[in-house]
């Protein structure tokens, strides 16, 4: 059933006049009459009777009017919802954030909620590489992780949000603490505690070590930065953590912190990820 013909019919009944309906719809009276006749032909029975002073509904016309108003209301509701989504006034946004950096995004999330109170935010915690895979699969709209992207995720769009040093953290008995400028190569054969698989930093470190023939002794992996730090403090091994994470903690006085050379972590900046 033609929605336009239905709208013309409803407007004619509401105005009780073909002429006034045409004026309200900004069309000619003949156009309104034609569309109402088209609707009657489709139904197979008259819907209106012309009477002095206006029009009168037939029994069939009363049914078509009631259902027609419902159909037009549904269409109007659809347009309203689509307009709301386009204007970011309602809907759901699914965001992926690694647990190691989620604390840094609370102010950003608060500002987004203030600007778009009708948007429901759903947070999914996972490592940066896992978040990238979920975005590529359409399971997330946007996410946060660290660069560089894995080769199979190179088609994703990225926007750099910031650059942060990555640090070695350990007790004073770790061999690298006696070096003036320790780097990733200083961890060859040394005990290390680090983020687990699925985290971009995990992949980045292993790629660097493999490319430079360095083989550390990874004694533990975790997705919780406070747990990694506690293991480093217990002397289990050297933790490798971003500086902003460390700045939010009260480090024990026995811990030594050294920044890794920028060239070794040149591509490890926090980044926003979105589908292309």
């Amino acid at each position: 059933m033609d929605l336009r013909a239905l709208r013309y019919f409803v407007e004619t009944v509401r105005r009780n006049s073909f002429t006034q309906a045409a004026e309200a719809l900004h069309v000619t009276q003949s156009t309104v009459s034609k569309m109402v006749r088209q609707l009657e032909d489709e139904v197979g029975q008259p819907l209106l009777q012309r009477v002095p002073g206006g029009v009168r509904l037939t029994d069939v016309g009363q049914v078509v009017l009631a259902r027609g108003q419902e159909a037009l209301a549904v269409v109007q509701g659809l347009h309203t919802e689509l307009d709301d989504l386009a204007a970011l006034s309602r809907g759901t946004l699914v965001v992926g954030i690694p647990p190691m950096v989620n604390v840094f995004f609370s102010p950003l999330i608060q500002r987004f909620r203030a600007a778009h109170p009708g948007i429901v935010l759903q947070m999914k915690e996972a490592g940066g590489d896992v978040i990238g895979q979920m975005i590529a699969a359409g399971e997330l709209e946007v996410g946060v992780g660290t660069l560089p992207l894995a080769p199979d995720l190179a088609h994703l769009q990225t926007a750099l949000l910031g650059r942060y040093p990555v640090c070695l953290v350990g007790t004073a008995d770790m061999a690298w603490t006696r070096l003036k400028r320790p780097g990733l190569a200083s961890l060859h054969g040394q005990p290390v505690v680090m983020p687990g698989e699925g985290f971009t930093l995990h992949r980045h470190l292993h790629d660097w070590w493999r490319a430079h023939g360095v083989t550390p002794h990874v004694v533990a992996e975790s997705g919780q930065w406070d747990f990694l730090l506690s293991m480093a403090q217990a002397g289990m091994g050297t933790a490798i953590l971003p500086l902003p994470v460390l700045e939010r903690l009260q480090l024990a006085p026995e811990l030594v912190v050294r920044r890794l050379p920028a060239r070794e972590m040149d591509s490890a900046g926090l980044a926003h990820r979105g589908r292309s």
Side-chain angles (χ1 to χ4, degrees):
M1 188 171 289
D2 190 328
L3 287 175
R4 187 175 59 164
L6 202 55
R7 184 160 64 93
Y8 285 16
F9 166 70
V10 170
E11 192 66 25
T12 299
V13 175
R14 191 168 74 87
R15 302 279 178 175
N16 195 33
S17 167
F18 283 89
T19 301
Q20 292 185 26
E23 292 176 357
L25 295 166
H26 305 290
V27 296
T28 64
Q29 180 178 334
S30 61
T31 300
V32 175
S33 297
K34 179 182 177 181
M35 297 302 289
V36 172
R37 284 196 304 271
Q38 176 182 316
L39 191 59
E40 289 178 325
D41 291 342
E42 187 170 355
V43 173
Q45 298 185 54
L47 303 177
L48 293 173
Q49 294 177 347
R50 293 179 181 268
V51 296
V55 296
R56 183 172 63 195
L57 284 168
T58 65
D59 291 343
V60 175
Q62 291 178 354
V63 174
V64 173
L65 175 66
R67 297 296 177 259
Q69 289 174 322
E70 292 176 359
L72 292 173
V74 169
V75 173
Q76 181 58 46
L78 173 61
H79 286 299
T80 300
E81 290 187 23
L82 293 177
D83 290 342
D84 288 345
L85 289 173
L88 290 180
S89 59
R90 61 182 300 180
T92 300
L93 180 64
V94 187
V95 181
I97 298 182
M100 293 187 72
V101 297
N102 54 13
V103 291
F104 306 116
F105 288 88
S106 297
L108 179 62
I109 293 170
Q110 183 180 18
R111 291 198 299 273
F112 182 89
R113 291 295 303 274
H116 307 287
I119 300 293
V120 177
L121 284 177
Q122 291 184 0
M123 302 297 175
K124 302 290 186 181
E125 285 193 334
D129 281 356
V130 174
I131 287 174
Q133 292 164 4
M134 293 175 73
I135 293 173
E139 299 174 22
L140 294 176
E141 301 295 336
V142 69
V144 176
T146 53
L147 296 176
L149 295 174
D152 61 336
L153 300 176
H155 63 286
L156 297 181
Q157 292 180 341
T158 63
L160 190 66
L161 297 180
R163 288 186 171 279
Y164 304 98
V166 177
C167 301
L168 302 178
V169 184
T171 51
D173 58 332
M174 297 296 166
W176 57 265
T177 62
R178 295 184 289 275
L179 301 177
K180 185 176 181 180
R181 294 180 179 177
L184 291 176
S186 309
L187 300 176
H188 182 70
Q190 299 298 308
V192 170
V193 294
M194 60 182 293
E197 290 187 25
F199 288 87
T200 310
L201 184 56
H202 176 280
R203 173 173 51 80
H204 181 88
L205 293 171
H206 277 286
D207 286 348
W208 195 97
W209 285 325
R210 186 164 43 251
H212 294 81
V214 176
T215 307
H217 175 45
V218 179
V219 298
E221 296 180 351
S222 174
Q224 301 297 322
W225 45 262
D226 52 347
F227 185 42
L228 291 174
L229 192 63
S230 67
M231 287 190 286
Q233 185 175 340
M236 291 180 59
T238 298
I240 307 173
L241 296 171
L243 180 61
V245 169
L246 299 175
E247 289 176 339
R248 300 184 70 89
L249 301 172
Q250 289 187 346
L251 300 182
E254 63 268 22
L255 286 175
V256 179
V257 179
R258 294 285 189 276
R259 296 188 183 188
L260 286 168
R263 65 181 182 276
E264 294 184 356
M265 307 302 295
D266 186 51
S267 300
L270 289 179
H272 154 286
R273 295 176 173 179
R275 280 181 297 208
S276 55

